[in-house]
C-alpha cells in the first residue's frame, strides 16, 4: 500500500516569504507527527495530531510555525516569514496509535532551503 | 539539553562482523525505545523496539539490549552486511505520549 507522502520534495524560498508543506499520511493512521532535521542534528519533534484531540504543539519553535490537519487525513505545516535557521528537512510521520508508543512511518521529507 | 545521545558519529565494520551501535538517555521517564534506519533522501524506517520491561529484544540479525540502570541501550547487527550501511537513529518515548525524542544518529559503513 501507499506510504506517507510529502510535497514538495524540495523547496527553496527567500527569507521573509511564507511556505506551506504538505503531508499525506497512511490511510487509517490516526496519529500524525511533524519533525525537522537540521544538518548534522537528530530529528526534532514539532507537533503531533491524534484524532480529534487538541494537537500537542510543544515542539513548535516559534509562533511563525503552525500546522493543521483535516480530520484524519492531510496535514499542512506553515512557516511564516521564513528565516535562514528554518532551513532543514521537514519530516512527517503517521501511526495507527493503539495507546502508547508505537511504530511511526515516515515520509521522505521536504528539504527546505531559505536563502 | 540532549535527552537521547549517540556519541559516536560514525562506525565502520567489515562485512560478516558484528556492528554495535550505542545510545544513552537521560530522561528516566522514557519507557519505550526504538531504532530507525535511514538511507539518503529517504525517511527513517523502523527497525526494532524495546520496552522498559525487557532487557533484550531480537529480530533476525538485529538485537537491542537495554540497561535501565545505566540508561543505555545498544543495537547489535550480526552478521553485518553492506546493505546495512545507513544512518541509525535511536529514539525514546513514554507510554503516555507518543512523541519521540531522537538522537543525532550514527553513520554505519559496512565494508565488503
Amino acid at each position: 500500500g501507499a506510504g506517507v507522502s510529502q510535497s514538495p520534495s524540495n523547496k527553496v524560498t527567500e527569507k521573509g516569504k511564507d511556505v506551506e508543506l504538505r503531508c499525506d499520511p497512511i490511510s487509517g493512521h490516526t496519529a500524525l507527527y511533524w519533525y525537522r532535521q537540521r544538518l548534522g542534528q537528530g530529528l526534532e519533534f514539532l507537533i503531533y495530531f491524534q484524532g480529534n484531540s487538541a494537537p500537542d504543539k510543544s515542539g513548535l519553535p516559534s509562533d511563525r510555525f503552525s500546522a493543521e490537519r483535516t480530520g484524519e487525513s492531510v496535514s499542512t505545516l506553515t512557516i511564516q516569514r521564513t528565516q535562514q535557521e528554518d532551513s532543514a528537512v521537514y519530516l512527517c510521520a503517521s501511526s495507527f496509535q493503539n495507546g502508547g508508543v508505537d511504530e511511526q512511518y515516515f515520509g521522505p521529507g521536504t528539504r527546505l532551503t531559505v536563502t | 539539553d540532549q535527552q537521547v545521545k549517540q556519541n559516536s558519529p560514525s562506525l565502520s565494520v567489515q562485512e560478516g562482523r558484528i556492528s554495535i551501535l550505542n545510545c544513552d538517555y537521560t530522561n528516566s521517564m522514557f519507557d519505550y525505545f526504538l531504532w530507525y534506519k535511514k538511507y539518503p533522501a529517504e525517511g527513517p524506517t523502523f527497525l526494532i523496539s524495546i520496552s522498559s520491561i525487557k532487557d533484550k529484544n531480537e529480530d533476525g540479525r538485529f538485537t537491542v539490549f537495554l540497561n535501565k540502570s545505566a540508561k543505555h541501550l545498544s543495537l547489535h547487527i550480526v552478521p553485518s552486511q553492506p546493505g546495512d550501511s545507513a544512518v541509525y537513529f535511536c529514539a525514546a518515548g513514554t507510554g503516555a505520549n507518543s512523541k519521540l525524542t531522537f538522537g543525532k544518529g550514527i553513520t554505519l559503513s559496512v565494508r565488503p
Side-chain angles (χ1 to χ4, degrees):
Chain A
V4 177
S5 61
Q6 292 185 246
S7 61
S9 56
N10 280 285
K11 176 72 176 178
V12 180
T13 189
E14 291 180 355
K15 177 181 173 182
K17 301 276 190 178
D18 298 350
V19 295
E20 192 171 276
L21 312 180
R22 177 187 169 108
C23 172
D24 285 87
I26 293 172
S27 178
H29 279 191
T30 58
L32 186 146
Y33 316 78
W34 284 97
Y35 296 87
R36 75 175 174 184
Q37 185 182 16
R38 290 169 160 167
L39 190 64
Q41 302 295 315
L43 279 70
E44 175 188 2
F45 167 77
L46 297 177
I47 188 169
Y48 157 55
F49 296 90
Q50 170 55 36
N52 294 321
S53 301
D56 178 350
K57 303 180 182 180
S58 60
L60 294 179
S62 77
D63 58 8
R64 296 186 295 106
F65 288 72
S66 63
E68 292 184 351
R69 186 181 187 193
T70 306
E72 292 186 351
S73 61
V74 172
S75 175
T76 55
L77 176 70
T78 301
I79 309 173
Q80 295 179 310
R81 305 180 303 281
T82 53
Q83 303 294 314
Q84 287 186 330
E85 63 261 28
D86 299 335
S87 296
V89 176
Y90 288 82
L91 290 154
C92 174
S94 69
S95 70
F96 179 65
Q97 189 169 28
N98 191 24
V101 180
D102 60 350
E103 179 184 343
Q104 297 179 17
Y105 294 81
F106 282 83
T110 293
R111 181 175 296 278
L112 175 66
T113 303
V114 182
T115 61
Chain B
D1 175 37
Q2 240 188 310
Q3 297 188 58
V4 177
K5 301 177 184 178
Q6 294 178 261
N7 293 319
S8 300
S10 63
L11 175 68
S12 180
V13 300
Q14 190 74 38
E15 180 178 6
R17 299 290 185 97
I18 185 171
S19 295
I20 300 176
L21 288 68
N22 293 308
C23 178
D24 297 289
Y25 61 96
T26 57
N27 188 343
S28 58
M29 296 300 291
F30 289 143
D31 59 6
Y32 202 82
F33 305 89
L34 308 90
W35 284 93
Y36 279 83
K37 176 180 179 180
K38 185 181 185 302
Y39 293 117
E42 294 183 11
T45 55
F46 171 77
L47 196 55
I48 193 169
S49 64
I50 189 167
S51 75
S52 59
I53 62 172
K54 293 186 172 182
D55 55 16
K56 178 182 175 181
N57 189 26
E58 189 172 353
D59 183 2
R61 297 185 297 114
F62 303 90
T63 302
V64 56
F65 295 91
L66 175 63
N67 182 334
K68 289 186 291 294
S69 61
K71 293 192 178 68
H72 176 83
L73 65 155
S74 61
L75 174 67
H76 293 209
I77 306 173
V78 55
S80 302
Q81 300 173 353
D84 295 331
S85 297
V87 178
Y88 289 79
F89 290 98
C90 172
T94 65
N97 187 334
S98 291
K99 71 182 183 187
L100 297 176
T101 301
F102 284 81
K104 289 186 177 182
I106 178 170
T107 301
L108 173 66
S109 299
V110 180
R111 307 184 303 273

